[in-house]
Amino acid sequence: MRGTDITWEGGEHAFLLNIALLRALQVKCDAGPQHILQRLSDGRWMVDDVIEPIRLGLEGGGMSKADARVLVQKHVEDLPLTMSVMTARMVLMASLFGVDDDTPGEPKAGEEKTQTRDREENGASHRSTSGPESSTATSEK
């Protein structure tokens, strides 16, 4: 499983919640990861729903437990918790749904849209919206 880098207090930090850390999160929050994400999304979160995904995510991303605790104390616990809800959501979402590297829009300088080039090289093409599948759907109406 790959984590995510999030620009957060003090710079960019790696966050990762692997299975072991997701289990630890469940114990700390007395709820499954999806339920915690739902509480963070609809405003019914509990204190540890905000704090623990960030702290555990920092540890999973490679930060020492001591450094993660200090950073969370300073930038989460010592500030209004609502300021950290979005960060906790992003850490959980990256762990539950993965990280999409295919950002829409123009490629960055020096990058190419390799997916299209790869398709052309191997003879594949984009899926057509016309043809037997769409004509069948039209004739059934």
Side-chain angles (χ1 to χ4, degrees):
M1 176 187 286
R2 205 175 125 247
T4 187
D5 293 326
I6 298 173
T7 302
W8 185 63
E9 302 301 330
E12 188 170 270
H13 300 279
F15 290 86
L16 172 65
L17 291 173
N18 60 24
I19 295 298
L21 292 170
L22 287 170
R23 286 185 174 132
L25 179 66
Q26 284 182 156
V27 170
K28 296 258 183 203
C29 296
D30 194 30
Q34 183 65 42
H35 191 79
I36 297 165
L37 181 60
Q38 183 62 43
R39 293 192 305 214
L40 288 166
S41 298
D42 66 19
R44 293 182 299 130
W45 48 267
M46 298 168 59
V47 171
D48 283 338
D49 293 348
V50 179
I51 295 170
E52 294 303 324
I54 297 171
R55 184 183 64 79
L56 292 169
L58 287 167
E59 291 176 18
M63 188 175 286
S64 73
K65 287 184 179 199
D67 288 345
R69 287 186 192 282
V70 167
L71 205 57
V72 167
Q73 173 75 43
K74 182 178 179 182
H75 297 291
V76 179
E77 295 176 14
D78 289 348
L79 298 172
L81 279 177
T82 56
M83 293 175 63
S84 297
V85 170
M86 185 59 72
T87 303
R89 285 183 62 207
M90 290 187 329
V91 171
L92 263 171
M93 288 174 65
S95 297
L96 296 176
F97 304 112
V99 179
D100 184 12
D101 288 336
D102 297 329
T103 52
E106 293 297 314
K108 294 178 185 169
E111 291 182 351
E112 293 181 36
K113 290 191 176 184
T114 56
Q115 188 175 17
T116 303
R117 190 183 73 231
D118 291 345
R119 258 193 239 112
E120 291 169 355
E121 287 173 0
N122 70 17
S125 63
H126 293 284
R127 183 175 172 197
S128 175
T129 56
S130 62
E133 295 166 47
S134 63
S135 63
T136 304
T138 312
S139 64
E140 291 177 356
K141 287 182 182 177

